[in-house]
Amino acid sequence: MVAVAPLASAQAAVTVLGWPGGPEETALRAVAEIYNSQEGLADDDRVEVLFFARDGFWDKLQADLAAGTQAFDLNLIATYSIGRYAPFMEPVALSDEAESVYGESVLSTMQFEGQQYGVPTDLSLHFMYYREDLIDALLGDADAAQTYGDISEEYLGQRLEPKAPDEWTWDDYAATALYFTQAVNPDSPTRYGTVLQMQNLLFNMMVWQSTARSYGGNWMDDEGNVTVDSEAYRRGLELYKMLYDAGATPADSTSYEFPEANAAFVSGQVATMLQWNGAAGELTNPETAPAVADTVAIVAPPAGDEGRATHIHGLGLGLNQNAPNKDGALAFLQYLSTEEAALAYAANSGAPALTPEVVAAIADERPDLVQLGEFASQYGYVMNGATGANALSVYELQAQHFTGYWTGQETLDEALAAVASGMESLLTE
């Protein structure tokens, strides 16, 4: 059942299918209102927004596009599903401002096979959240540093010293997580040093895989060969396994995703957490996180041998191949990719990743967007092949076997071999 939400009394000629509910809908409505208020805008070019229910959204969208629907001109797309819809859409040209507004890495989240398929309206990536009060106390305590060194030597085979989170490698993160775990350090002020999202769920793979990427890992090389059975993937997988086995994350983390991880962190019994940027509002709000909100700080994910890395994916809007009003739709896409529209979208609860020069205009009202844009431009990546038609299936395959390894159902060799074999099939179809 399609729910239509008109923005103006006049019959709109450009229909936009957006993501229902939440800040994305709020922001799209606001920007469409601004666009429609332009003086001299012809009725033929006015915009109306349209929403499906969330449940089954992507499957319904694919079915409608494949059937040649003309119910909408522009439709929602996501980085991890562009390849699924590209056969039923058309590449687009954005405004001349687009690169200076978003930056190359953010624009790439809406690209498939070298072509631009949409405007990146909302971006998701990962923040390292930590308890600043706990880290500051650790950094200022010589006795604590001695204990920290003993723990890192025992578990990591190297004697490390406490560091500021913005300087962490994955080893530093692991040592810190172990130090703040009572099963490892009975004097820890928190029960757990971190909270890992280890449920057999594709989105949890997106959180975890920045470990492997920062060590140089990728899905495929430039020739299209699957490369997951690598030292980079082994190190990333072993990191989670070690922390889980040591009790640094709750024992039921194998059933955790976004809400469960947040609930553990706001309890006040967790020192660090790698989590989506979308959690920032909840974790830093005294009403939703009274035990920790005043002490939460944010940095980019830790570094591996190849530096820092964060998975990024975007929601955006692209052009239906069978759009009844392509000219009007392209005009709206051009507008959406301007600085004016991006700032309006951000001011109305959206989460666009903007370049430093652009986000400065809204930094006081949306400080989280400053870090979002900075981390996306400096550390953001999209795995080679991760915009293909079977990208979601690849993540599901990885979730099945990597969680199998973490929970002791498969060896590391078995998990990697199964994933590599499955990806060979999925990425060459």
Side-chain angles (χ1 to χ4, degrees):
M1 185 72 179
V2 174
V4 178
L7 286 169
S9 57
Q11 179 63 41
V14 179
T15 305
V16 183
L17 175 65
W19 184 241
E24 298 89 354
E25 178 176 338
T26 301
L28 180 58
R29 286 182 177 277
V31 173
E33 289 278 12
I34 293 169
Y35 183 78
N36 285 344
S37 69
Q38 294 178 93
E39 185 176 348
L41 184 69
D43 286 345
D44 287 350
D45 293 326
R46 297 178 69 82
V47 169
E48 186 175 87
V49 292
L50 168 72
F51 299 100
F52 297 162
R54 281 178 181 257
D55 187 28
F57 180 97
W58 298 110
D59 290 336
K60 176 171 172 48
L61 175 59
Q62 183 179 25
D64 285 357
L65 287 171
T69 183
Q70 294 191 330
F72 46 81
D73 297 288
L74 300 173
N75 57 271
L76 187 77
I77 50 175
T79 303
Y80 46 74
S81 60
I82 294 178
R84 184 177 177 185
Y85 307 120
F88 317 112
M89 299 179 65
E90 289 189 6
V92 297
L94 304 182
S95 76
D96 293 340
E97 301 176 31
E99 187 167 346
S100 63
V101 170
Y102 296 105
E104 184 177 345
S105 65
V106 175
L107 289 176
S108 72
T109 65
M110 293 287 107
Q111 293 172 1
F112 179 66
E113 295 185 344
Q115 295 184 296
Q116 194 76 34
Y117 274 85
V119 177
T121 54
D122 295 271
L123 193 80
S124 292
L125 50 67
H126 301 127
F127 287 168
M128 176 59 74
Y129 299 88
Y130 68 94
R131 289 276 301 280
E132 193 168 27
D133 57 332
L134 300 179
I135 300 300
D136 286 349
L138 169 61
L139 292 173
D141 187 332
D143 291 336
Q146 178 70 27
T147 301
Y148 183 100
D150 293 343
I151 290 171
S152 64
E153 195 164 35
E154 177 181 354
Y155 283 85
L156 301 173
Q158 53 183 324
R159 192 168 191 87
L160 301 175
E161 297 181 355
K163 292 180 184 176
D166 213 27
E167 301 173 4
W168 282 353
T169 64
W170 287 108
D171 285 339
D172 296 316
Y173 157 71
T176 303
L178 292 164
Y179 173 84
F180 284 110
T181 297
Q182 288 177 357
V184 175
N185 173 19
D187 295 327
S188 170
T190 55
R191 186 173 180 183
Y192 304 107
T194 194
V195 54
L196 305 177
Q197 298 173 59
M198 304 175 76
Q199 181 180 342
N200 181 355
L201 183 72
L202 66 95
F203 295 107
N204 289 346
M205 292 299 98
M206 297 176 185
V207 178
W208 164 79
Q209 73 176 0
S210 293
T211 60
R213 177 67 173 204
S214 69
Y215 289 127
N218 208 329
W219 283 11
M220 301 187 295
D221 61 22
D222 292 340
E223 285 72 47
N225 301 303
V226 173
T227 57
V228 294
D229 193 349
S230 65
E231 184 65 19
Y233 270 76
R234 290 175 180 272
R235 291 174 70 180
L237 290 164
E238 288 171 341
L239 172 72
Y240 265 43
K241 176 72 168 169
M242 183 272 292
L243 291 173
Y244 180 71
D245 289 348
T249 186
D252 57 349
S253 292
T254 51
S255 65
Y256 281 16
E257 56 166 315
F258 183 86
E260 292 83 7
N262 285 353
F265 191 85
V266 302
S267 73
Q269 287 300 307
V270 175
T272 70
M273 178 173 66
L274 184 67
Q275 180 61 293
W276 297 98
N277 61 292
E282 176 183 350
L283 303 185
T284 60
N285 185 340
E287 295 184 3
T288 54
V292 301
D294 292 339
T295 68
V296 174
I298 297 168
V299 293
D305 296 341
E306 301 294 325
R308 285 169 144 171
T310 174
H311 164 98
I312 56 175
H313 71 246
L315 293 179
L317 294 169
L319 181 64
N320 175 7
Q321 189 178 77
N322 291 295
N325 186 355
K326 289 184 180 179
D327 289 342
L330 288 170
F332 185 57
L333 283 183
Q334 288 269 324
Y335 170 74
L336 279 178
S337 59
T338 65
E339 180 175 339
E340 175 189 347
L343 290 175
Y345 196 90
N348 286 279
S349 302
L354 308 173
T355 59
E357 296 78 14
V358 175
V359 79
I362 201 170
D364 291 341
E365 295 84 1
R366 294 292 305 275
D368 59 307
L369 294 187
V370 176
Q371 289 170 306
L372 180 69
E374 176 188 337
F375 296 171
S377 62
Q378 294 185 27
Y379 314 122
Y381 70 86
V382 176
M383 287 293 196
N384 187 12
T387 60
N390 289 325
L392 291 181
S393 296
V394 169
Y395 281 120
E396 290 170 346
L397 174 72
Q398 292 178 352
Q400 175 187 347
H401 293 286
F402 292 166
T403 58
Y405 163 63
W406 291 328
T407 56
Q409 299 174 47
E410 300 179 62
T411 67
L412 181 56
D413 286 342
E414 288 170 342
L416 284 170
V419 168
S421 176
M423 287 178 64
E424 290 281 358
S425 298
L426 289 168
L427 295 175
T428 56
E429 287 182 1

